[in-house]
Amino acid sequence: MDEIKEMVHRHSDRLSMEKVKAGNKGYSAEIAVVTYCKGKKDSAENPKLRILLSFGQHGRELITSELAFRIMSILSEEKHLPGMDEASLNSILDKVVIKVVPMENINGRKLVEGGDLCERRNGRGVDLNRNWSVDWGKKEKDYDPYEENPGIAPFSEPESQIMRKLAVSFEPHIWVNVHSGMEALFMPYDHKNTTPDGLPLQQMKSLLEEVNQLHCQKRCMIGSGGGSVGYFAHGTATDFMYDVVRVPMAFTFEIYGDVTAPSSDCFKMFNPTDLASYNSVLDDWSAAFFTIFKLGPHQLGEIQSKASVVKLDKLVSIDEYLDGYLMERRNRYGKKIEVLELGMQEIRAYYRLFLLSSVLLLCMFCSRISKTKCSRPIVSAISL
């Protein structure tokens, strides 16, 4: 993380970094978000493809954060992508805005570096990829509380809260959650054995098949997470991104796995242990991501233009939208936003009271009408 900070400082013309903190019930977390934007900023007049990438959601999957560092090194031009023409690469990167979360679960990562090499959860024992609201809390027959603890409620964890706010404020066209443990290219859904219907399925599948052929030598598994991996996962980030935030292309990538490793050797199971394998993983998968940057606009087609004008306040709750709005403004204006945030909290409270009072008044009105009708005297018909 120190090296990433220094890299951002060296390339402030295209890279910027912000640190977002959150906490509750005595537990806190901080997530660094690196933004890449070259040339003109993203705007209505100059729309760009918005891409959100998350690495290190599970502490033991250290190789994923190494890949994040490699991708940022290429974006900053400190490293070069083999076989990629520089002019072509620059043309691609002029059209995108990329937000990279290099280490989502830094508290869990510290536990791994302290010697608990099998730890995947955050600093208080919650699996961050089970803490999202889509189908949250459902437990399969093979549920392992050590591996899959979903927390006490959806978004109970500061890390998940930060990532939700980031997604709502950024409105990405492409989301990729990067893991290790196998080699796979997953699309929604994780909590059931189905994939999205129609054009979204065709676009996602077409992009993944291209990546599989070019960079995975066709050995990567492709399909829904729930239908391919052998078990259902409930409350995952990718399902939330697709169903709630309405990201047109939402993926989970598994970039490495050693099936020969014993279950007790988590480091070997989730991370390459020799230099040749390490470099091979980083070379192949960094190239895969730049293929996504290149092909993304073409595959999105009409959905890209529609996604850029989607009103998220119609897709998420009032709390989620306001939280995302506040995060975006805080990033721009710093401490001055604290006053606005207090105001927004008041607005949120009054909004709830307004809804409650409206429902109560409507019930009272309906009840009064009903009683009036029932108490009205019956008048016999008068012959004319």
Coordinates of all heavy atoms in Angstrom, one line a residue, residues 216-301:
C216 N -6.7 -17.4 -21.0 CA -6.8 -18.5 -20.1 C -6.6 -19.8 -20.8 O -6.7 -20.9 -20.2 CB -8.3 -18.5 -19.5 SG -8.3 -18.4 -17.7
Q217 N -6.3 -19.7 -22.1 CA -6.1 -20.9 -22.9 C -7.3 -21.9 -22.8 O -7.1 -23.1 -22.8 CB -4.8 -21.7 -22.6 CG -3.5 -20.9 -22.9 CD -3.2 -19.7 -22.0 OE1 -3.2 -19.8 -20.8 NE2 -3.0 -18.5 -22.6
K218 N -8.5 -21.3 -22.6 CA -9.7 -22.0 -22.6 C -9.9 -23.0 -21.4 O -10.7 -23.9 -21.3 CB -10.0 -22.8 -23.9 CG -10.1 -22.0 -25.1 CD -10.5 -22.8 -26.3 CE -10.7 -21.9 -27.5 NZ -11.1 -22.7 -28.7
R219 N -9.0 -22.8 -20.4 CA -9.1 -23.6 -19.2 C -9.9 -23.1 -18.1 O -10.2 -23.8 -17.1 CB -7.7 -23.9 -18.7 CG -7.0 -22.7 -18.1 CD -5.6 -23.1 -17.5 NE -5.0 -21.9 -16.9 CZ -4.2 -21.1 -17.6 NH1 -3.9 -21.3 -18.9 NH2 -3.6 -20.0 -17.0
C220 N -10.3 -21.8 -18.2 CA -11.1 -21.2 -17.1 C -12.6 -21.6 -17.2 O -13.2 -21.7 -18.3 CB -11.1 -19.7 -17.2 SG -9.5 -19.0 -16.6
M221 N -13.2 -21.8 -16.1 CA -14.6 -22.2 -16.0 C -15.4 -20.9 -16.3 O -15.1 -19.8 -15.8 CB -15.0 -22.7 -14.7 CG -16.3 -23.3 -14.5 SD -16.5 -23.9 -12.7 CE -15.2 -25.0 -12.5
I222 N -16.5 -21.0 -17.1 CA -17.4 -19.9 -17.4 C -18.8 -20.2 -17.1 O -19.3 -21.3 -17.4 CB -17.3 -19.5 -18.9 CG1 -15.9 -18.9 -19.2 CG2 -18.3 -18.4 -19.2 CD1 -15.8 -18.5 -20.7
G223 N -19.5 -19.3 -16.4 CA -20.9 -19.5 -16.1 C -21.3 -18.7 -14.9 O -20.6 -17.8 -14.4
S224 N -22.5 -19.0 -14.3 CA -22.9 -18.4 -13.1 C -22.1 -19.0 -11.9 O -21.7 -20.2 -12.0 CB -24.4 -18.6 -12.8 OG -24.7 -19.9 -12.5
G225 N -21.8 -18.1 -10.9 CA -21.1 -18.6 -9.8 C -21.8 -19.8 -9.1 O -21.2 -20.8 -8.8
G226 N -23.1 -19.6 -8.9 CA -23.9 -20.7 -8.3 C -24.0 -21.9 -9.0 O -24.1 -23.0 -8.5
G227 N -24.0 -21.8 -10.4 CA -24.2 -23.0 -11.2 C -22.9 -23.7 -11.5 O -22.9 -24.9 -12.0
S228 N -21.8 -23.1 -11.3 CA -20.5 -23.6 -11.7 C -19.6 -24.1 -10.6 O -18.8 -25.0 -10.8 CB -19.7 -22.6 -12.6 OG -20.5 -22.1 -13.7
V229 N -19.6 -23.4 -9.5 CA -18.6 -23.6 -8.5 C -18.9 -24.8 -7.6 O -18.1 -25.4 -6.9 CB -18.4 -22.4 -7.6 CG1 -19.5 -22.2 -6.6 CG2 -17.0 -22.4 -6.9
G230 N -20.2 -25.3 -7.6 CA -20.6 -26.5 -6.9 C -21.3 -26.1 -5.6 O -21.8 -27.1 -4.9
Y231 N -21.5 -24.9 -5.2 CA -22.3 -24.5 -4.1 C -22.9 -23.1 -4.3 O -22.3 -22.3 -5.1 CB -21.5 -24.5 -2.8 CG -20.3 -23.6 -2.8 CD1 -20.4 -22.3 -2.3 CD2 -19.0 -24.0 -3.2 CE1 -19.4 -21.4 -2.3 CE2 -17.9 -23.2 -3.2 CZ -18.1 -21.9 -2.7 OH -17.1 -21.0 -2.7
F232 N -24.0 -22.8 -3.6 CA -24.6 -21.5 -3.7 C -23.9 -20.5 -2.6 O -23.7 -20.9 -1.5 CB -26.1 -21.5 -3.5 CG -26.8 -22.3 -4.6 CD1 -28.0 -23.0 -4.3 CD2 -26.3 -22.3 -5.9 CE1 -28.7 -23.6 -5.3 CE2 -27.0 -23.0 -6.9 CZ -28.2 -23.6 -6.6
A233 N -23.7 -19.3 -3.0 CA -23.2 -18.3 -2.1 C -24.2 -17.2 -2.0 O -24.6 -16.6 -3.0 CB -21.9 -17.7 -2.6
H234 N -24.7 -16.9 -0.8 CA -25.7 -15.9 -0.6 C -25.2 -14.6 0.0 O -24.3 -14.6 0.9 CB -26.8 -16.5 0.4 CG -27.3 -17.8 -0.1 ND1 -28.3 -18.0 -1.0 CD2 -26.9 -19.1 0.3 CE1 -28.5 -19.3 -1.2 NE2 -27.7 -20.0 -0.5
G235 N -25.7 -13.5 -0.5 CA -25.2 -12.2 0.0 C -23.9 -11.7 -0.6 O -23.1 -11.1 0.1
T236 N -23.7 -12.0 -1.9 CA -22.4 -11.7 -2.5 C -22.4 -10.3 -3.1 O -23.5 -9.8 -3.5 CB -22.0 -12.7 -3.6 OG1 -22.9 -12.6 -4.7 CG2 -22.0 -14.1 -3.0
A237 N -21.2 -9.7 -3.3 CA -21.1 -8.4 -3.9 C -21.5 -8.4 -5.3 O -22.2 -7.4 -5.7 CB -19.6 -7.9 -3.8
T238 N -21.2 -9.4 -6.1 CA -21.5 -9.3 -7.5 C -23.0 -9.4 -7.8 O -23.5 -8.7 -8.7 CB -20.8 -10.5 -8.2 OG1 -19.4 -10.2 -8.2 CG2 -21.2 -10.6 -9.7
D239 N -23.7 -10.2 -7.0 CA -25.2 -10.3 -7.2 C -25.8 -8.9 -6.8 O -26.8 -8.5 -7.4 CB -25.8 -11.4 -6.3 CG -25.5 -12.8 -6.9 OD1 -24.9 -12.9 -8.0 OD2 -25.9 -13.8 -6.3
F240 N -25.3 -8.3 -5.8 CA -25.8 -6.9 -5.4 C -25.5 -5.9 -6.5 O -26.4 -5.1 -6.9 CB -25.2 -6.5 -4.1 CG -25.7 -5.1 -3.7 CD1 -26.8 -5.0 -2.9 CD2 -25.0 -4.0 -4.0 CE1 -27.2 -3.7 -2.4 CE2 -25.4 -2.7 -3.6 CZ -26.5 -2.6 -2.8
M241 N -24.3 -6.0 -7.1 CA -24.0 -5.0 -8.1 C -24.9 -5.2 -9.4 O -25.3 -4.2 -10.0 CB -22.5 -5.2 -8.6 CG -21.5 -4.9 -7.5 SD -21.5 -3.1 -7.1 CE -20.2 -3.1 -5.8
Y242 N -25.2 -6.4 -9.7 CA -26.1 -6.7 -10.9 C -27.5 -6.4 -10.6 O -28.2 -5.7 -11.4 CB -25.9 -8.1 -11.4 CG -26.6 -8.3 -12.7 CD1 -26.0 -7.9 -13.9 CD2 -27.8 -8.9 -12.7 CE1 -26.7 -8.1 -15.1 CE2 -28.5 -9.1 -13.9 CZ -27.9 -8.7 -15.1 OH -28.6 -8.8 -16.3
D243 N -28.1 -6.8 -9.5 CA -29.5 -6.7 -9.2 C -29.9 -5.3 -8.6 O -31.0 -4.9 -9.0 CB -29.9 -7.8 -8.2 CG -30.5 -9.0 -8.9 OD1 -30.5 -9.1 -10.1 OD2 -30.9 -10.0 -8.2
V244 N -29.1 -4.7 -7.8 CA -29.5 -3.5 -7.1 C -28.8 -2.2 -7.8 O -29.5 -1.3 -8.1 CB -29.1 -3.5 -5.6 CG1 -29.5 -2.2 -4.9 CG2 -29.8 -4.7 -5.0
V245 N -27.5 -2.3 -8.0 CA -26.9 -1.1 -8.6 C -27.1 -1.1 -10.1 O -26.9 -0.1 -10.7 CB -25.4 -1.1 -8.2 CG1 -24.7 0.2 -8.7 CG2 -25.2 -1.2 -6.7
R246 N -27.5 -2.2 -10.7 CA -27.8 -2.3 -12.1 C -26.5 -2.1 -13.0 O -26.6 -1.5 -14.0 CB -28.9 -1.3 -12.5 CG -30.2 -1.5 -11.8 CD -30.9 -2.8 -12.3 NE -32.3 -2.8 -12.0 CZ -32.8 -3.6 -11.0 NH1 -32.1 -4.4 -10.3 NH2 -34.1 -3.5 -10.8
V247 N -25.4 -2.7 -12.5 CA -24.2 -2.7 -13.3 C -24.4 -3.6 -14.5 O -24.8 -4.8 -14.3 CB -23.0 -3.2 -12.5 CG1 -21.7 -3.2 -13.4 CG2 -22.8 -2.3 -11.3
P248 N -24.3 -3.1 -15.7 CA -24.6 -4.0 -16.9 C -23.8 -5.2 -17.0 O -24.2 -6.3 -17.4 CB -24.3 -3.0 -18.1 CG -24.5 -1.7 -17.5 CD -24.0 -1.7 -16.1
M249 N -22.5 -5.1 -16.6 CA -21.6 -6.3 -16.6 C -21.0 -6.5 -15.3 O -20.1 -5.7 -14.9 CB -20.5 -6.1 -17.7 CG -21.1 -6.2 -19.1 SD -19.7 -6.2 -20.3 CE -20.6 -6.7 -21.8
A250 N -21.4 -7.5 -14.5 CA -20.8 -7.7 -13.2 C -20.2 -9.1 -13.1 O -20.9 -10.1 -13.5 CB -22.0 -7.6 -12.2
F251 N -19.0 -9.2 -12.7 CA -18.2 -10.4 -12.8 C -17.5 -10.7 -11.5 O -17.2 -9.8 -10.7 CB -17.1 -10.4 -13.9 CG -17.7 -10.1 -15.3 CD1 -17.2 -9.0 -16.0 CD2 -18.6 -10.9 -15.9 CE1 -17.7 -8.7 -17.2 CE2 -19.1 -10.6 -17.2 CZ -18.6 -9.5 -17.8
T252 N -17.2 -12.0 -11.3 CA -16.3 -12.5 -10.3 C -15.2 -13.3 -11.0 O -15.5 -14.3 -11.7 CB -17.0 -13.4 -9.2 OG1 -18.0 -12.6 -8.6 CG2 -16.0 -13.8 -8.1
F253 N -14.0 -12.9 -10.8 CA -12.8 -13.6 -11.5 C -12.1 -14.4 -10.4 O -11.8 -13.9 -9.3 CB -11.9 -12.7 -12.2 CG -12.4 -12.1 -13.5 CD1 -13.7 -12.4 -13.9 CD2 -11.6 -11.3 -14.2 CE1 -14.2 -11.9 -15.1 CE2 -12.1 -10.8 -15.4 CZ -13.4 -11.1 -15.9
E254 N -11.8 -15.7 -10.7 CA -10.9 -16.5 -9.8 C -9.6 -16.7 -10.6 O -9.6 -17.3 -11.7 CB -11.5 -17.8 -9.5 CG -12.8 -17.7 -8.7 CD -12.6 -17.7 -7.2 OE1 -11.4 -17.9 -6.8 OE2 -13.5 -17.5 -6.4
I255 N -8.5 -16.1 -10.1 CA -7.3 -16.0 -11.0 C -6.2 -17.1 -10.7 O -5.3 -17.2 -11.5 CB -6.7 -14.6 -10.9 CG1 -6.2 -14.4 -9.4 CG2 -7.7 -13.5 -11.3 CD1 -5.3 -13.1 -9.3
Y256 N -6.3 -17.8 -9.7 CA -5.3 -18.8 -9.4 C -5.8 -19.9 -8.4 O -6.6 -19.5 -7.5 CB -4.0 -18.2 -8.8 CG -3.0 -19.2 -8.5 CD1 -2.1 -19.8 -9.5 CD2 -2.9 -19.7 -7.2 CE1 -1.2 -20.7 -9.1 CE2 -1.9 -20.7 -6.8 CZ -1.1 -21.2 -7.8 OH -0.2 -22.1 -7.5
G257 N -5.4 -21.1 -8.5 CA -5.7 -22.1 -7.6 C -4.9 -23.3 -7.8 O -4.6 -23.8 -8.9
D258 N -4.4 -23.9 -6.7 CA -3.6 -25.1 -6.7 C -4.4 -26.3 -6.2 O -4.5 -26.4 -4.9 CB -2.3 -24.9 -5.9 CG -1.3 -26.1 -6.1 OD1 -1.7 -27.1 -6.6 OD2 -0.1 -25.9 -5.7
V259 N -4.9 -27.1 -7.0 CA -5.8 -28.2 -6.6 C -5.0 -29.3 -5.9 O -5.6 -30.2 -5.3 CB -6.6 -28.7 -7.8 CG1 -7.5 -27.7 -8.4 CG2 -5.6 -29.3 -8.9
T260 N -3.7 -29.3 -6.1 CA -2.9 -30.3 -5.4 C -2.5 -30.0 -4.0 O -2.0 -30.8 -3.3 CB -1.6 -30.6 -6.2 OG1 -0.7 -29.4 -6.2 CG2 -1.9 -30.9 -7.7
A261 N -2.7 -28.8 -3.6 CA -2.3 -28.3 -2.3 C -3.2 -29.0 -1.2 O -4.5 -29.1 -1.4 CB -2.4 -26.8 -2.2
P262 N -2.7 -29.4 -0.1 CA -3.5 -29.9 1.0 C -4.4 -28.8 1.6 O -4.0 -27.6 1.6 CB -2.5 -30.5 2.0 CG -1.3 -29.7 1.7 CD -1.3 -29.5 0.2
S263 N -5.5 -29.2 2.1 CA -6.5 -28.2 2.6 C -5.9 -27.4 3.8 O -6.3 -26.3 4.1 CB -7.8 -28.9 3.1 OG -7.5 -29.9 4.1
S264 N -4.9 -27.9 4.5 CA -4.3 -27.2 5.6 C -3.3 -26.2 5.1 O -2.9 -25.3 5.9 CB -3.5 -28.2 6.5 OG -2.5 -28.9 5.8
D265 N -2.8 -26.3 3.8 CA -1.8 -25.3 3.3 C -2.6 -24.2 2.5 O -2.5 -24.2 1.3 CB -0.8 -26.0 2.4 CG 0.4 -25.2 2.1 OD1 0.3 -23.9 2.3 OD2 1.4 -25.7 1.5
C266 N -3.2 -23.3 3.2 CA -4.0 -22.3 2.5 C -3.1 -21.3 1.6 O -3.6 -20.9 0.6 CB -4.7 -21.5 3.5 SG -6.1 -22.4 4.3
F267 N -1.9 -21.1 2.1 CA -1.1 -20.2 1.3 C -0.8 -20.8 -0.1 O -1.0 -20.1 -1.1 CB 0.3 -19.9 2.0 CG 1.1 -18.8 1.3 CD1 0.9 -17.5 1.6 CD2 2.0 -19.2 0.4 CE1 1.6 -16.5 0.9 CE2 2.8 -18.2 -0.3 CZ 2.6 -16.9 0.0
K268 N -0.5 -22.0 -0.2 CA -0.2 -22.7 -1.5 C -1.5 -22.9 -2.2 O -1.5 -22.8 -3.5 CB 0.5 -24.0 -1.2 CG 0.9 -24.7 -2.5 CD 1.7 -26.0 -2.2 CE 2.1 -26.7 -3.5 NZ 2.8 -27.9 -3.3
M269 N -2.6 -23.1 -1.6 CA -3.9 -23.3 -2.2 C -4.3 -22.0 -3.0 O -4.9 -22.1 -4.1 CB -4.9 -23.7 -1.2 CG -6.3 -24.1 -1.8 SD -7.5 -24.5 -0.6 CE -6.7 -25.9 0.3
F270 N -4.1 -20.9 -2.4 CA -4.6 -19.6 -3.0 C -3.6 -18.7 -3.6 O -4.0 -17.8 -4.3 CB -5.4 -18.9 -1.9 CG -6.6 -19.6 -1.3 CD1 -6.5 -20.3 -0.2 CD2 -7.8 -19.5 -2.0 CE1 -7.6 -21.0 0.3 CE2 -8.9 -20.1 -1.5 CZ -8.9 -20.9 -0.4
N271 N -2.3 -19.1 -3.5 CA -1.3 -18.2 -4.0 C -0.1 -19.0 -4.6 O 0.3 -20.0 -4.1 CB -0.7 -17.3 -2.8 CG -1.7 -16.6 -2.1 OD1 -2.2 -15.6 -2.5 ND2 -2.1 -17.1 -0.9
P272 N 0.4 -18.5 -5.7 CA 1.6 -19.2 -6.3 C 2.8 -19.0 -5.4 O 3.0 -18.0 -4.8 CB 1.8 -18.4 -7.7 CG 1.1 -17.1 -7.5 CD 0.0 -17.3 -6.5
T273 N 3.6 -20.1 -5.3 CA 4.7 -20.1 -4.4 C 6.1 -20.1 -5.1 O 7.1 -20.2 -4.4 CB 4.6 -21.4 -3.5 OG1 4.5 -22.5 -4.3 CG2 3.3 -21.3 -2.6
D274 N 6.1 -20.0 -6.4 CA 7.4 -19.9 -7.1 C 7.3 -18.7 -8.0 O 6.2 -18.3 -8.5 CB 7.7 -21.2 -7.9 CG 6.7 -21.5 -9.0 OD1 5.7 -22.2 -8.7 OD2 6.9 -21.0 -10.1
L275 N 8.5 -18.2 -8.3 CA 8.5 -16.9 -9.1 C 8.0 -17.0 -10.5 O 7.3 -16.1 -11.0 CB 10.0 -16.5 -9.2 CG 10.2 -15.1 -9.8 CD1 9.5 -14.0 -9.0 CD2 11.7 -14.7 -9.8
A276 N 8.2 -18.2 -11.1 CA 7.7 -18.4 -12.5 C 6.2 -18.3 -12.5 O 5.5 -17.7 -13.4 CB 8.2 -19.7 -13.1
S277 N 5.5 -19.0 -11.6 CA 4.1 -19.1 -11.5 C 3.5 -17.7 -11.2 O 2.5 -17.2 -11.7 CB 3.6 -20.1 -10.5 OG 4.0 -21.4 -10.9
Y278 N 4.2 -17.0 -10.2 CA 3.8 -15.7 -9.8 C 3.8 -14.7 -11.0 O 2.8 -14.1 -11.2 CB 4.8 -15.2 -8.7 CG 4.6 -13.8 -8.3 CD1 3.7 -13.4 -7.3 CD2 5.4 -12.8 -8.9 CE1 3.6 -12.1 -6.9 CE2 5.3 -11.5 -8.5 CZ 4.4 -11.1 -7.5 OH 4.3 -9.8 -7.1
N279 N 4.8 -14.7 -11.8 CA 4.9 -13.8 -12.9 C 3.9 -14.2 -14.0 O 3.3 -13.3 -14.7 CB 6.3 -13.7 -13.5 CG 7.3 -12.9 -12.6 OD1 6.9 -11.9 -12.0 ND2 8.5 -13.4 -12.5
S280 N 3.7 -15.5 -14.2 CA 2.8 -15.9 -15.2 C 1.4 -15.5 -14.9 O 0.6 -15.0 -15.8 CB 2.8 -17.5 -15.3 OG 1.9 -17.9 -16.2
V281 N 1.0 -15.6 -13.6 CA -0.4 -15.2 -13.2 C -0.6 -13.7 -13.4 O -1.6 -13.3 -14.0 CB -0.6 -15.5 -11.7 CG1 -1.9 -14.9 -11.2 CG2 -0.7 -17.1 -11.5
L282 N 0.4 -12.9 -13.0 CA 0.3 -11.5 -13.2 C 0.3 -11.0 -14.6 O -0.5 -10.1 -15.0 CB 1.4 -10.8 -12.4 CG 1.4 -11.0 -10.9 CD1 2.5 -10.1 -10.2 CD2 0.1 -10.7 -10.3
D283 N 1.1 -11.7 -15.4 CA 1.2 -11.3 -16.9 C -0.1 -11.7 -17.6 O -0.7 -10.8 -18.3 CB 2.4 -12.0 -17.6 CG 3.7 -11.5 -17.2 OD1 3.8 -10.3 -16.6 OD2 4.7 -12.2 -17.4
D284 N -0.6 -12.9 -17.4 CA -1.8 -13.3 -18.0 C -3.0 -12.5 -17.6 O -3.8 -12.1 -18.5 CB -2.1 -14.8 -17.8 CG -1.0 -15.7 -18.4 OD1 -0.3 -15.3 -19.4 OD2 -0.9 -16.9 -18.1
W285 N -3.2 -12.3 -16.3 CA -4.4 -11.7 -15.9 C -4.4 -10.1 -16.0 O -5.5 -9.5 -16.2 CB -4.7 -12.1 -14.4 CG -5.2 -13.5 -14.4 CD1 -4.6 -14.6 -14.1 CD2 -6.6 -13.9 -14.7 NE1 -5.4 -15.7 -14.2 CE2 -6.7 -15.3 -14.5 CE3 -7.8 -13.2 -15.0 CZ2 -7.8 -16.0 -14.7 CZ3 -8.9 -13.9 -15.2 CH2 -9.0 -15.3 -15.0
S286 N -3.2 -9.5 -16.0 CA -3.2 -8.1 -16.3 C -3.6 -7.9 -17.7 O -4.3 -6.9 -18.1 CB -1.9 -7.5 -16.0 OG -0.8 -8.1 -16.7
A287 N -3.1 -8.8 -18.6 CA -3.5 -8.7 -20.0 C -4.9 -8.9 -20.2 O -5.6 -8.2 -21.1 CB -2.7 -9.7 -20.9
A288 N -5.5 -9.8 -19.4 CA -7.0 -10.1 -19.5 C -7.8 -8.8 -19.2 O -8.8 -8.5 -19.8 CB -7.3 -11.2 -18.6
F289 N -7.3 -8.1 -18.2 CA -8.1 -6.9 -17.8 C -8.0 -5.8 -18.8 O -9.0 -5.1 -19.1 CB -7.6 -6.4 -16.4 CG -8.3 -7.0 -15.3 CD1 -7.7 -8.1 -14.7 CD2 -9.5 -6.5 -14.8 CE1 -8.4 -8.8 -13.6 CE2 -10.2 -7.1 -13.7 CZ -9.6 -8.2 -13.1
F290 N -6.9 -5.7 -19.5 CA -6.8 -4.7 -20.6 C -7.6 -5.1 -21.8 O -8.0 -4.2 -22.5 CB -5.3 -4.4 -20.9 CG -4.6 -3.5 -19.9 CD1 -4.1 -4.0 -18.7 CD2 -4.6 -2.1 -20.1 CE1 -3.5 -3.2 -17.8 CE2 -4.1 -1.3 -19.1 CZ -3.5 -1.8 -18.0
T291 N -7.8 -6.4 -22.0 CA -8.7 -6.8 -23.0 C -10.1 -6.4 -22.7 O -10.9 -6.0 -23.5 CB -8.6 -8.4 -23.2 OG1 -7.3 -8.7 -23.7 CG2 -9.7 -8.9 -24.1
I292 N -10.5 -6.5 -21.4 CA -11.8 -6.0 -21.0 C -11.9 -4.5 -21.2 O -13.0 -4.0 -21.6 CB -12.0 -6.4 -19.5 CG1 -12.2 -7.9 -19.3 CG2 -13.3 -5.7 -18.9 CD1 -12.2 -8.4 -17.9
F293 N -10.9 -3.8 -20.9 CA -10.9 -2.3 -21.1 C -11.2 -2.0 -22.6 O -11.8 -1.1 -22.9 CB -9.6 -1.7 -20.6 CG -9.3 -1.9 -19.2 CD1 -8.0 -1.7 -18.7 CD2 -10.2 -2.2 -18.2 CE1 -7.6 -1.9 -17.4 CE2 -9.9 -2.5 -16.9 CZ -8.6 -2.3 -16.5
K294 N -10.6 -2.8 -23.4 CA -10.7 -2.6 -24.9 C -12.0 -3.0 -25.4 O -12.6 -2.3 -26.2 CB -9.6 -3.4 -25.6 CG -9.6 -3.3 -27.1 CD -8.5 -4.2 -27.7 CE -8.5 -4.1 -29.2 NZ -7.4 -4.9 -29.8
L295 N -12.5 -4.2 -25.0 CA -13.7 -4.8 -25.6 C -15.0 -4.3 -24.9 O -16.1 -4.4 -25.4 CB -13.7 -6.3 -25.6 CG -12.6 -6.9 -26.4 CD1 -12.6 -8.5 -26.3 CD2 -12.6 -6.5 -27.8
G296 N -14.9 -3.8 -23.7 CA -16.0 -3.4 -22.9 C -17.0 -2.5 -23.6 O -18.2 -2.8 -23.7
P297 N -16.5 -1.3 -24.2 CA -17.5 -0.5 -24.9 C -18.2 -1.1 -26.0 O -19.4 -0.9 -26.2 CB -16.6 0.7 -25.4 CG -15.4 0.6 -24.5 CD -15.2 -0.8 -24.1
H298 N -17.6 -2.0 -26.7 CA -18.2 -2.6 -27.9 C -19.3 -3.6 -27.4 O -20.4 -3.7 -27.9 CB -17.1 -3.4 -28.7 CG -17.7 -4.2 -29.8 ND1 -18.3 -3.7 -30.9 CD2 -17.8 -5.6 -29.9 CE1 -18.8 -4.7 -31.7 NE2 -18.5 -5.9 -31.1
Q299 N -18.9 -4.4 -26.3 CA -19.9 -5.4 -25.8 C -21.1 -4.8 -25.2 O -22.2 -5.3 -25.2 CB -19.2 -6.3 -24.8 CG -18.1 -7.2 -25.5 CD -18.6 -8.2 -26.4 OE1 -19.8 -8.5 -26.4 NE2 -17.8 -8.7 -27.3
L300 N -20.9 -3.6 -24.5 CA -22.0 -3.0 -23.9 C -23.0 -2.4 -24.8 O -24.2 -2.5 -24.6 CB -21.5 -1.8 -23.0 CG -20.9 -2.3 -21.6 CD1 -20.1 -1.1 -21.0 CD2 -21.9 -2.8 -20.7
G301 N -22.5 -1.9 -26.0 CA -23.5 -1.4 -27.0 C -24.4 -0.4 -26.5 O -24.1 0.6 -25.8

